[in-house]
Amino acid sequence: MPKEYYYIGEQSLIFPREVYLISSASVVGKKEGEGPLGNAFDMICGDDKFGEDTWEMAESSLQKEALSLAIGKADLNPEDVRYLFAGDLLGQNIATSFGLMDYEIPLFGLYGACSTAGESLSLAAMCVGAGYAKTVAALTSSHFASAEKQFRFPLEYANQRPVSATWTVTGSGAFVLSQKKSDVRITGITTGKIIDMGIKDSMNMGAAMAPAAADLIAQNLEDFGRSPEDYDKIVTGDLGYVGQEILISLLKKKNIDISDVHEDCGILIYDKETQGTGSGGSGCGCSAVTLSSHYLPKLKDGSLKRILFVPTGALLSTVSFNEGQNVPGIAHAVVLEHAKKET
Amino acid sequence: MPKEYYYIGEQSLIFPREVYLISSASVVGKKEGEGPLGNAFDMICGDDKFGEDTWEMAESSLQKEALSLAIGKADLNPEDVRYLFAGDLLGQNIATSFGLMDYEIPLFGLYGACSTAGESLSLAAMCVGAGYAKTVAALTSSHFASAEKQFRFPLEYANQRPVSATWTVTGSGAFVLSQKKSDVRITGITTGKIIDMGIKDSMNMGAAMAPAAADLIAQNLEDFGRSPEDYDKIVTGDLGYVGQEILISLLKKKNIDISDVHEDCGILIYDKETQGTGSGGSGCGCSAVTLSSHYLPKLKDGSLKRILFVPTGALLSTVSFNEGQNVPGIAHAVVLEHAKKET
């Protein structure tokens, strides 16, 4: 008889069946390719329009390429993938809709701002873990130019940016999940609530998202009965330098010290000194391409045994912002572990 | 031992555990209250701003009220609900984010245009069916004024509308799902792919969505080995009069005749003759409030034994539309059945 329920603690889950991450891919733009992780990405495109007419279609191409590569690396065909769990930052998820249309795979469209990388992996893992599919894929994207146009100013304005502003990553990360054993296993998830600390500055996303990350990390540790040292790394999505400081200090107030194990994808992806990227990278694509290119290889070879991957999102639109609303945050965490292949 | 997999056919699923819809609620605006279903809604608000300053916050209030009512009807407290699966039509899902924030319940934000009512029920049922939660809620909303402002013209323009245009429903429907036995059971789902038939007219959403509905209904019948007569009703979300005609004729070409059992929430919700609503109602709220107020009571008392609920979505944004992209469609179906309570 199956166990009755699989939830643990307040906000976490484990799965009835083992869930493996069997392949992944990262596709990025020129600037990301010139950054510290440049050698690790699967594809770097010199033309940020990816041969398309618009920034939005360029972002669609990112998703299309990333999924194609991830499916190919898993030695599968698109028809072997039963569900897609995907999203992006644009209004009405258009990068996703137009990017994934040609695959003709049933699609669950998701929106959790930059936390969507965690949300998509969570739902994909829940799906595989329940026996709802043999193979599914999770993917997200962002594009500097489509995001600037959507949320800030068109690039042609050449506006100045405060140092607290983050730089939206041009990139897409795709992940194929299956019950088929591989070197990396998803062993649990912790799902976030919306946390509103009254931040109103859309040029300081790190501050808006850090409280949600702090809340979620504390909850994950409590739910799983772990301390920060039980993770080789606790990796947030795109808090940047400003958000990292706030996160560490918020958790210290709860007597949790993650300073030794914390890393942030937004900090890793650019060279602050030479790339002029302000507080760091951000966007749905930031954490996804960093997980795929930087952390998964280390989880595969066992140099990392267990990490907590915590993409963070800032919940705003230009409408909510212009109407004077706060910028609340949300975070969704996935526990990833090295798993020795039994073949 | 649990069965290995629960998927059936190409795009459908059943669940390891029985999933029940234990309560629901519908909250609507003035116009919907004056329509044919007026007596059936739980709450009709005379002021379409719901006491708020903006249309977006008014839509947030709709979601807040609908969820509160649904949770109350199930004799539960918000803390009994482990996950929310929710979405709306606005860019970056802001009606959902600001409406559900105060509940402090882990949230999966979803976007499938008007099909989100089906997507949210699908994922919520998958979650309960897998034993991931005792109780979850699924909800969606739309608001005429926030949608017109987002997708067409501000109300103040008083622009004219073609007869093929649908009227966005001001309303939110919320559903509480649980393993606890009740009179209505969700016995399966069929998840949609994006279907693009080259429609470019954003004032004719019915035509954009009908091909996706036709594809999904045919797939559901094939996957479950059913004919249209195995359903007392096949209920689409918001195709309206224009889309209904296209749907029925597309399915006839596949030798499937649903004309005897087909109904459309967008057609039911307004009186075409007296309310000036063009092709019918539309929006994430349309199918949700119609399911809650009109179909669920009939499923409860057994006057309907089994229906196929098929919310349909048109995947566009003002950006994609202005850049000349097509308007592809998607649909997500849920099988709802009368279940005699065993108490």
Side-chain angles (χ1 to χ4, degrees):
Chain A
M1 276 295 291
K3 214 178 110 176
E4 202 179 1
Y5 293 110
Y6 294 91
Y7 55 79
I8 52 173
E10 290 290 318
Q11 293 171 234
S12 301
L13 268 189
I14 53 171
F15 311 109
R17 293 163 186 73
E18 294 186 353
V19 179
Y20 293 90
L21 216 160
I22 62 168
S23 81
S24 77
S26 55
V27 178
V28 298
K30 188 163 174 280
K31 193 180 185 87
E32 292 69 27
E34 292 164 355
L37 306 181
N39 290 329
F41 298 121
D42 293 301
M43 189 189 280
I44 300 164
C45 202
D47 164 23
D48 278 357
K49 275 214 170 145
F50 295 83
E52 300 286 347
D53 290 335
T54 66
W55 297 121
E56 292 73 22
M57 288 309 286
E59 190 176 338
S60 289
S61 287
L62 279 173
Q63 286 207 17
K64 203 183 290 188
E65 287 299 331
L67 181 58
S68 168
L69 283 172
I71 291 174
K73 281 196 201 180
D75 246 332
L76 295 170
N77 295 309
E79 55 270 28
D80 299 322
V81 177
R82 194 162 175 102
Y83 296 109
L84 298 178
F85 295 86
D88 60 74
L89 291 178
L90 302 179
Q92 289 80 36
N93 263 3
I94 48 164
T96 300
S97 296
F98 290 97
L100 303 181
M101 196 153 62
D102 295 340
Y103 284 101
E104 299 189 3
I105 299 173
L107 167 73
F108 289 108
L110 310 177
Y111 185 78
C114 307
S115 75
T116 309
E119 184 186 356
S120 62
L121 282 171
S122 295
L123 286 165
M126 288 164 73
C127 184
V128 169
Y132 291 146
K134 277 187 187 160
T135 310
V136 305
L139 69 164
T140 53
S141 67
S142 52
H143 192 298
F144 177 72
S146 64
E148 287 292 303
K149 174 176 155 187
Q150 167 104 93
F151 293 104
R152 292 162 175 154
F153 299 97
L155 294 189
E156 292 81 355
Y157 282 25
N159 69 303
Q160 299 210 347
R161 307 157 57 87
V163 287
S164 64
T166 48
W167 190 279
T168 305
V169 166
T170 298
S172 174
F175 304 90
V176 179
L177 281 69
S178 164
Q179 284 188 38
K180 204 179 112 188
K181 288 202 190 321
S182 81
D183 300 330
V184 181
R185 195 178 144 199
I186 297 181
T187 57
I189 60 169
T190 306
T191 303
K193 310 179 283 195
I194 302 174
I195 307 282
D196 180 12
M197 299 294 275
I199 303 288
K200 287 198 183 281
D201 181 359
S202 78
M203 291 289 187
N204 191 350
M205 297 293 197
M209 300 188 292
D215 191 82
L216 195 80
I217 291 166
Q219 193 63 56
N220 173 275
L221 297 174
E222 190 187 311
D223 288 351
F224 286 93
R226 290 178 187 154
S227 60
E229 297 70 42
D230 291 322
Y231 292 108
D232 291 336
K233 299 284 175 200
I234 293 178
V235 181
T236 47
D238 52 358
L239 297 182
Y241 294 95
V242 173
Q244 179 180 49
E245 214 181 303
I246 301 172
L247 170 68
I248 289 173
S249 97
L250 283 172
L251 283 172
K252 277 203 177 137
K253 284 187 191 156
K254 301 186 186 198
N255 292 314
I256 298 171
D257 183 0
I258 63 161
S259 57
D260 286 343
V261 292
H262 181 254
E263 287 182 356
D264 183 72
C265 300
I267 292 177
L268 288 176
I269 199 165
Y270 296 123
D271 181 342
K272 193 190 184 182
E273 307 305 322
T274 63
Q275 294 195 289
T277 43
S279 183
S282 65
C284 272
C286 176
S287 55
V289 301
T290 307
L291 176 63
S292 175
S293 63
H294 180 71
Y295 290 107
L296 284 184
K298 295 186 201 306
L299 281 162
K300 271 185 208 161
D301 70 20
S303 55
L304 290 175
K305 298 291 184 207
R306 184 197 280 155
I307 72 167
L308 184 65
F309 178 61
V310 193
T312 43
L315 299 168
L316 84 163
S317 77
T318 45
V319 175
S320 71
F321 179 73
N322 287 331
E323 288 177 352
Q325 298 294 331
N326 294 340
V327 182
I330 192 164
H332 296 297
V334 179
V335 181
L336 293 152
E337 301 192 23
H338 170 67
K340 215 164 184 165
K341 225 175 183 168
E342 288 175 21
T343 44
Chain B
M1 276 298 292
K3 214 178 108 178
E4 202 180 359
Y5 292 110
Y6 295 90
Y7 55 79
I8 51 174
E10 289 292 318
Q11 293 171 234
S12 301
L13 267 189
I14 52 171
F15 311 109
R17 293 162 186 75
E18 293 186 353
V19 180
Y20 293 92
L21 215 160
I22 62 169
S23 81
S24 77
S26 55
V27 178
V28 299
K30 189 162 174 280
K31 191 177 189 90
E32 292 70 28
E34 292 164 355
L37 306 181
N39 291 329
F41 298 121
D42 292 302
M43 189 189 280
I44 300 165
C45 203
D47 165 22
D48 279 357
K49 273 215 171 142
F50 295 83
E52 299 286 346
D53 291 335
T54 66
W55 298 120
E56 291 74 23
M57 287 309 284
E59 189 175 337
S60 289
S61 287
L62 280 172
Q63 286 207 16
K64 203 184 289 188
E65 287 299 331
L67 181 59
S68 168
L69 283 170
I71 292 174
K73 282 196 200 178
D75 247 331
L76 296 170
N77 296 309
E79 55 269 29
D80 299 321
V81 177
R82 194 162 175 102
Y83 296 108
L84 299 177
F85 295 86
D88 59 74
L89 291 180
L90 303 179
Q92 290 79 34
N93 264 4
I94 49 167
T96 300
S97 297
F98 290 97
L100 303 180
M101 194 153 63
D102 296 342
Y103 284 102
E104 300 188 2
I105 299 173
L107 168 72
F108 289 107
L110 310 177
Y111 185 79
C114 307
S115 75
T116 310
E119 184 186 357
S120 63
L121 281 170
S122 295
L123 287 166
M126 287 164 74
C127 184
V128 169
Y132 291 147
K134 278 187 186 160
T135 310
V136 305
L139 69 162
T140 53
S141 68
S142 52
H143 192 299
F144 178 72
S146 64
E148 287 293 304
K149 176 176 152 186
Q150 167 103 93
F151 293 103
R152 291 161 178 155
F153 299 98
L155 294 188
E156 293 80 355
Y157 282 26
N159 68 303
Q160 300 209 350
R161 304 157 58 87
V163 288
S164 64
T166 48
W167 189 278
T168 306
V169 165
T170 299
S172 173
F175 305 90
V176 179
L177 280 69
S178 165
Q179 285 189 35
K180 205 179 111 186
K181 289 203 187 322
S182 81
D183 300 329
V184 182
R185 195 178 145 199
I186 297 180
T187 56
I189 60 169
T190 306
T191 302
K193 310 179 282 195
I194 302 174
I195 307 281
D196 180 12
M197 299 293 275
I199 303 288
K200 287 197 182 281
D201 181 358
S202 78
M203 291 290 188
N204 191 352
M205 297 293 197
M209 300 187 292
D215 191 81
L216 195 79
I217 291 167
Q219 193 64 55
N220 174 277
L221 296 174
E222 189 188 313
D223 288 351
F224 285 94
R226 289 176 186 154
S227 60
E229 298 69 42
D230 291 322
Y231 292 109
D232 292 337
K233 300 283 176 201
I234 293 177
V235 181
T236 47
D238 53 357
L239 297 183
Y241 294 95
V242 173
Q244 180 180 47
E245 216 181 300
I246 301 172
L247 171 68
I248 289 174
S249 97
L250 283 174
L251 283 171
K252 276 201 179 138
K253 285 187 191 155
K254 301 186 187 199
N255 291 315
I256 299 170
D257 183 0
I258 64 162
S259 57
D260 286 344
V261 294
H262 181 254
E263 287 182 357
D264 183 72
C265 299
I267 291 176
L268 288 175
I269 198 165
Y270 295 123
D271 181 340
K272 192 190 183 182
E273 307 305 323
T274 63
Q275 293 194 288
T277 42
S279 183
S282 64
C284 273
C286 177
S287 56
V289 301
T290 306
L291 176 65
S292 175
S293 63
H294 181 70
Y295 290 107
L296 284 184
K298 295 188 203 302
L299 281 162
K300 271 185 206 160
D301 70 19
S303 54
L304 290 175
K305 298 291 185 208
R306 183 197 281 154
I307 71 168
L308 184 65
F309 177 61
V310 193
T312 41
L315 299 168
L316 83 164
S317 77
T318 45
V319 175
S320 71
F321 178 73
N322 287 332
E323 288 177 353
Q325 297 293 333
N326 294 342
V327 182
I330 191 166
H332 295 298
V334 179
V335 181
L336 293 152
E337 301 192 24
H338 171 66
K340 214 164 186 166
K341 225 175 182 165
E342 290 174 19
T343 45

